[in-house]
Amino acid sequence: MTRARIFFTGVGGQGTLTATTLLARTALDAGLPVTSGEIHGMAQRGGVVESTLLVGGYKSAIIAPGEADVILGFELLETLRALPMLKRGGFVVGNSEALQPVGVCLGRECYPPLEAVLETAKGFAAQVVLIPCISLAEQAGTAKAANTVLLGAAAACGALPFSVADLTRSIEKYLKPKLVDVNLKALALGAEAAKAGQAA
Amino acid sequence: MGKELLKNEGGDTLLLLGNEAIVRGTLEGGVRFVTCYPGTPSSEVPDTFFRLSQGAPYYFEYSVNEKVALEVAGGATLAGLPSLCTMKHVGVNVAADPLMTLAYVSAPGGLVLLSADDPGCHSSQNEQDNRIYARLGGLPCFEPATAQECKDMARDALLLSRKLETPVLLRTTTRVNHVRGPVVTGDLPATPYEKPFVKDPAKYVPLPASARVMHKRLRAILDGLVAQSDASPYNVESGAGELGFISSGVSRNYLADVLEEEGLVGKVRLLELGMTYPLPENRIAAFLSACKKVLIVEELEPVLENEIRALAQARGIAVEILGKSEHLPRLGEFSTANVRQAVRAFVGQPAAAVDALTVPADLPRRPPNLCAGCPHRAAYYAVREVYGDNAVYSSDIGCYTLGFLPPFRAADFLLCMGSSISTGAGFARASGKPVVAFIGDSTFFHSGITGLIDAVAYKHDVLIVILDNRTTAMTGHQPNPGVDTTIFGENPNPVDLMALIRACGVEPVKVNPLNHKATLTALTELSKQTGPRVLVAEYPCPIHARRVGQAKKTLPARVAGDPAACLAVRDNLACPAFAMVDGQFTINAEQCDGCMFCVQLSPDLKPGKKEAK
């Protein structure tokens, strides 16, 4: 049976939890045992939002350092911060675009460059794919679909135990009808960008 | 998750949050009366009941505080209705007075108290272990570990409570409340349960003479429950061998995954406990007798460990019992990582090396921040302008606790919900220093008002700033007694905050904190006075206003003049809509709420034009 520990990280308001739940439903529909964990509370106040999805029979809904088969990073700095969770040979699929934390906005701290993620994970991760999720989501119709762009990318590069077609079905089945089209577009753009990124 | 939770027929597999599963479980147990005070990690339980409350088969209220919530639910169970009362762990302290006598007085209709504990202090001021309350108050206790168990145990806790007419504790932890997993539902009861009240004061009024009898009755119930705990399907044994593990709650999950990954399943003995008070003593004794060495895996206090040690001693069982240790600390949460090391040490394996990446420790942090447009930012700014570091700031619990962070640094100490006024008063009396006490509207109703009465009665020299954002913002915008509007429309019976303060004996001053000049004038005036003073800084939370459809259409602020001249405003407000782009200060129009507070502080900032984005 496919077993996978997937770690999600992002910033409040990015749809991290929505994406987690969509993947959990996809796993259930595929007949896979699933458990998922979220931390609520400060999510609305611009803090870090982390969640987990464990597929294939795990009982725990949390992931310890070095255990994540996949890191899905909805924001670049948070992807970097989460790298210690990654298992050797795991996948990192992340958003290459930044949401500046307050210290950076105020000019007190420096935002790390994109290369920091690539260099840290080099030789440890099987694959690191970073794509501009927010820009691609805007291209699809709304920046709010950036989470779906990332899911499309993750499925296309083989990081998830699901295909892009599985996710397409879930979007059609579980999202509000008026959100389906834009999210399908976002999913496809994410998948395309990931494949292009892998080829490069 | 919506109406499917109210569906009569069971058999569905739903993907539920632990807290949603608790809702379904108590509905399956026939719950008809629900009270609460919200608080992470419990809030989705009452919030789900509230959302589904119109036309639902139960009464629901967000009570004014946890004590009131438990007393109201206590009245309902005395009247014969199956009842649920929910709160976070520290809320149980507020409700501890009625709780300690509730089990004496009994719960004829059944009553489940949900205590959502928070190991690791994810969103709490402490990490107390409320399993101890089960022992102190005499409440049978269930500890679920999965979403399915949340549903099943919530149901069975209520059914057990109804049957024994005694209150039952459902004790969860953050990771269980916020787990999401498949839940197979059962049917809802076909007929509503009720046990009509029959007057019997000797049974229900704990005067000294009757209280002694009640205590005896309670102990008899709990003693009788040991056999039921021994036979409980939630207390499960598996495996074989001389090495044993006993675990409860969320630790069971970590232990199960570790045993699986370490190839130990079946080779060691495992006793998993779901019904944890009273303990299944005979079951545990037999388990201990079969083992040479037992490791107790439980988060926080050594509750099981101490009771199991006592049991082994009492029964004369020679077994080595291990528990709290370097790997299984008394502090914080467990994880597969520390449980793995503890298991390996226990079975005599070398410590597992963790193969993981490291990242710089000094990455920019992303602390939670007051939202763009938050009226608390404006209130804090004005208070700092008047007092700076000359006042001592007594803080309280709510979004405004975030005023702790720079640039406001408006929290010097905090004890608990509602403490800012009374603790501030005591500090002022003892030190003679100027004290400003901050408190939110919901927290004021919760337990701040008693501090105000005390401050009036003893003329404590404290300036109380009530940050009234017309909702209980921090925990998810639940209504409180003072709100104008809820998701169901206008509040028909709002409590008049101003009249309440006046009745306590202080003439409050009310301002809109987003009007800087007026707020500053009021604060300057109040700072010259002595004794208890109250400033009500009233403006709706922008998130709440949007949710109830009352947000005003506004334009974003923009930099109209010299960006370099706006840096003081940037540093003093730390609004999330502020950004530095290519080294230059700008306002992110997408993020800006249009509160227009910053434009009052700098001539270089102006309201945006319509075409500006």
Side-chain angles (χ1 to χ4, degrees):
Chain A
M1 186 190 287
T2 327
R3 266 165 90 97
R5 288 177 162 124
I6 306 168
F7 189 87
F8 301 70
T9 183
V11 175
Q14 284 198 296
T16 310
L17 297 182
T18 309
T20 311
T21 307
L22 192 71
L23 272 199
R25 293 190 190 287
T26 310
L28 264 191
D29 285 347
L32 295 169
V34 62
T35 184
S36 163
E38 311 168 358
I39 282 292
H40 296 199
M42 288 293 194
Q44 262 167 357
R45 319 287 178 260
V48 183
V49 175
E50 293 172 347
S51 57
T52 62
L53 183 72
L54 291 94
V55 181
Y58 290 107
K59 297 280 199 308
S60 311
I62 62 166
I63 296 174
E67 283 188 347
D69 297 287
V70 187
I71 289 178
L72 294 184
F74 294 79
E75 200 277 340
L76 187 67
L77 169 62
E78 298 318 319
T79 306
L80 178 60
R81 204 191 307 277
L83 285 180
M85 306 313 285
L86 190 68
K87 185 167 142 185
R88 186 175 290 277
F91 284 83
V92 179
V93 185
N95 181 5
S96 60
E97 292 168 315
L99 294 176
Q100 294 188 351
V102 64
V104 174
C105 292
L106 298 182
R108 293 199 192 106
E109 292 174 299
C110 286
Y111 197 93
L114 184 91
E115 290 69 35
V117 173
L118 299 171
E119 276 162 27
T120 308
K122 203 170 138 190
F124 189 90
Q127 225 180 93
V128 182
V129 178
L130 300 175
I131 59 164
C133 294
I134 299 171
S135 306
L136 289 172
E138 278 170 350
Q139 206 177 311
T142 168
K144 290 200 171 107
N147 55 352
T148 308
V149 172
L150 190 72
L151 291 185
C157 66
L160 303 177
F162 319 108
S163 65
V164 176
D166 292 333
L167 293 178
T168 302
R169 269 194 300 279
S170 289
I171 288 171
E172 286 167 348
K173 194 168 161 190
Y174 297 114
L175 294 195
K176 284 184 192 151
K178 64 173 184 182
L179 299 178
V180 168
D181 282 345
V182 65
N183 277 283
L184 289 180
K185 253 185 236 165
L187 189 78
L189 284 171
E192 218 173 278
K195 281 186 204 144
Q198 273 182 314
Chain B
M1 188 49 56
K3 293 280 176 198
E4 49 271 67
L5 288 173
L6 291 173
K7 194 175 152 191
N8 282 321
E9 306 76 36
D12 294 330
T13 301
L14 305 176
L15 183 71
L16 297 184
L17 201 61
N19 279 342
E20 293 167 338
I22 289 170
V23 171
R24 176 69 193 188
T26 48
L27 285 165
E28 289 177 13
V31 76
R32 294 183 63 190
F33 202 97
V34 183
T35 66
C36 74
Y37 189 80
T40 313
S42 74
S43 301
E44 296 82 6
V45 178
D47 292 355
T48 304
F49 274 114
F50 178 55
R51 233 179 26 249
L52 301 175
S53 61
Q54 306 227 312
Y58 53 83
Y59 169 80
F60 173 83
E61 71 171 46
Y62 287 110
S63 305
V64 71
N65 68 26
E66 292 87 352
K67 178 179 187 286
V68 172
L70 188 59
E71 290 160 350
V72 172
T77 188
L78 282 164
L81 295 193
S83 303
L84 170 69
C85 182
T86 75
M87 56 195 64
K88 65 183 292 172
H89 60 328
V90 286
V92 180
N93 303 331
V94 180
D97 200 0
L99 181 63
M100 289 305 107
T101 312
L102 183 67
Y104 281 30
V105 174
S106 84
L111 188 156
V112 169
L113 171 65
L114 169 68
S115 167
D117 292 11
D118 191 16
C121 304
H122 288 282
S123 45
S124 309
Q125 67 269 39
N126 76 26
E127 53 177 353
Q128 67 186 58
D129 188 335
N130 278 7
R131 293 177 299 167
I132 293 168
Y133 269 120
R135 279 83 183 156
L136 199 57
L139 278 74
C141 177
F142 289 87
E143 291 181 68
T146 63
Q148 181 73 50
E149 285 184 356
C150 281
K151 198 278 282 175
D152 292 342
M153 289 189 191
R155 175 199 60 208
D156 291 345
L158 190 52
L159 292 177
L160 180 70
S161 176
R162 268 165 48 173
K163 190 174 132 208
L164 301 174
E165 302 189 11
T166 203
V168 173
L169 183 69
L170 183 66
R171 189 264 189 169
T172 55
T173 53
T174 300
R175 300 290 182 173
V176 176
N177 295 97
H178 292 161
V179 70
R180 197 181 283 278
V183 174
V184 181
T185 59
D187 294 342
L188 298 193
T191 48
Y193 180 87
E194 186 168 354
K195 172 144 181 148
F197 181 68
V198 181
K199 281 189 180 225
D200 186 354
K203 195 172 164 193
Y204 301 124
V205 184
L207 296 176
S210 43
R212 288 177 208 121
V213 178
M214 291 172 171
H215 193 190
K216 197 171 165 189
R217 171 195 151 275
L218 173 61
R219 284 317 319 175
I221 289 176
L222 294 171
D223 291 343
L225 263 177
V226 172
Q228 191 158 337
S229 187
D230 279 329
S232 170
Y234 295 124
N235 295 336
V236 184
E237 198 179 328
S238 60
E242 291 183 325
L243 297 179
F245 295 88
I246 302 179
S247 185
S248 75
V250 76
S251 310
R252 284 168 47 210
N253 296 337
Y254 309 146
L255 183 60
D257 285 345
V258 167
L259 293 180
E260 166 91 32
E261 290 186 329
E262 296 290 322
L264 290 168
V265 174
K267 295 176 188 159
V268 293
R269 242 173 241 277
L270 178 62
L271 178 57
E272 297 185 80
L273 301 178
M275 184 178 177
T276 55
Y277 187 75
L279 280 180
E281 289 178 5
N282 302 308
R283 194 84 177 267
I284 292 173
F287 183 87
L288 295 179
S289 300
C291 295
K292 219 160 143 184
K293 208 162 82 159
V294 170
L295 181 66
I296 316 288
V297 185
E298 61 182 325
E299 285 181 336
L300 300 179
E301 299 304 311
V303 173
L304 295 178
E305 184 183 337
N306 290 347
E307 290 181 10
I308 290 169
R309 281 182 195 283
L311 181 71
Q313 196 272 345
R315 305 257 177 129
I317 303 166
V319 59
E320 190 183 349
I321 296 169
L322 302 165
K324 293 294 161 188
S325 66
E326 175 197 347
H327 300 303
L328 297 177
R330 202 160 166 163
L331 315 179
E333 285 190 299
F334 284 180
S335 68
T336 41
N338 57 10
V339 171
R340 186 183 313 282
Q341 301 298 14
V343 166
R344 289 181 67 93
F346 180 73
V347 302
Q349 294 283 328
V354 177
D355 186 19
L357 292 169
T358 51
V359 295
D362 60 348
L363 289 178
R365 291 177 317 119
R366 197 184 295 275
N369 189 5
L370 295 170
C371 304
C374 177
H376 300 339
R377 173 175 286 105
Y380 280 137
Y381 179 80
V383 171
R384 273 235 148 243
E385 221 177 341
V386 173
Y387 284 98
D389 280 328
N390 294 326
V392 173
Y393 298 115
S394 180
S395 192
D396 220 302
I397 294 182
C399 286
Y400 50 93
T401 317
L402 294 174
F404 168 81
L405 296 170
F408 305 112
R409 299 188 310 281
D412 289 309
F413 49 75
L414 186 164
L415 286 181
C416 62
M417 283 286 288
S419 67
S420 66
I421 300 175
S422 25
T423 311
F427 190 95
R429 176 72 63 179
S431 69
K433 292 201 166 100
V435 171
V436 180
F438 295 106
I439 189 165
D441 47 331
S442 188
T443 310
F444 180 76
F445 288 118
H446 177 282
S447 50
I449 186 171
T450 44
L452 175 61
I453 294 167
D454 193 79
V456 171
Y458 298 102
K459 229 175 167 338
H460 288 305
D461 195 14
V462 56
L463 170 59
I464 299 155
V465 178
I466 300 183
L467 299 162
D468 182 1
N469 61 1
R470 317 303 297 147
T471 185
T472 315
M474 182 62 137
T475 51
H477 303 90
Q478 294 84 359
N480 67 52
V483 304
D484 315 297
T485 323
T486 76
I487 51 168
F488 298 126
E490 207 170 303
N491 176 7
N493 320 301
V495 174
D496 184 340
L497 179 67
M498 293 294 282
L500 195 60
I501 298 163
R502 219 169 274 134
C504 290
V506 182
E507 187 55 42
V509 179
K510 180 147 104 177
V511 292
N512 171 1
L514 294 179
N515 181 339
H516 183 53
K517 209 169 157 189
T519 307
L520 201 59
T521 307
L523 276 165
T524 308
E525 190 51 41
L526 287 165
S527 73
K528 292 174 191 157
Q529 301 168 14
T530 55
R533 293 144 284 158
V534 178
L535 179 77
V536 177
E538 184 194 293
Y539 197 81
C541 163
I543 298 179
H544 175 64
R546 279 197 289 275
R547 277 198 195 170
V548 298
Q550 291 195 335
K552 292 177 193 134
K553 281 223 156 65
T554 53
L555 298 168
R558 68 189 168 94
V559 180
D562 177 13
C566 303
L567 296 184
V569 173
R570 176 196 75 175
D571 292 349
N572 291 334
L573 294 184
C575 175
F578 295 166
M580 296 298 284
V581 176
D582 302 326
Q584 216 169 55
F585 177 77
T586 178
I587 293 176
N588 181 337
E590 293 283 331
Q591 293 266 322
C592 178
D593 185 69
C595 75
M596 293 304 142
F597 184 69
C598 62
V599 307
Q600 298 168 51
L601 307 182
S602 166
D604 294 290
L605 295 168
K606 295 270 188 253
K609 297 197 184 79
K610 271 206 167 75
E611 59 275 19
K613 206 205 157 189

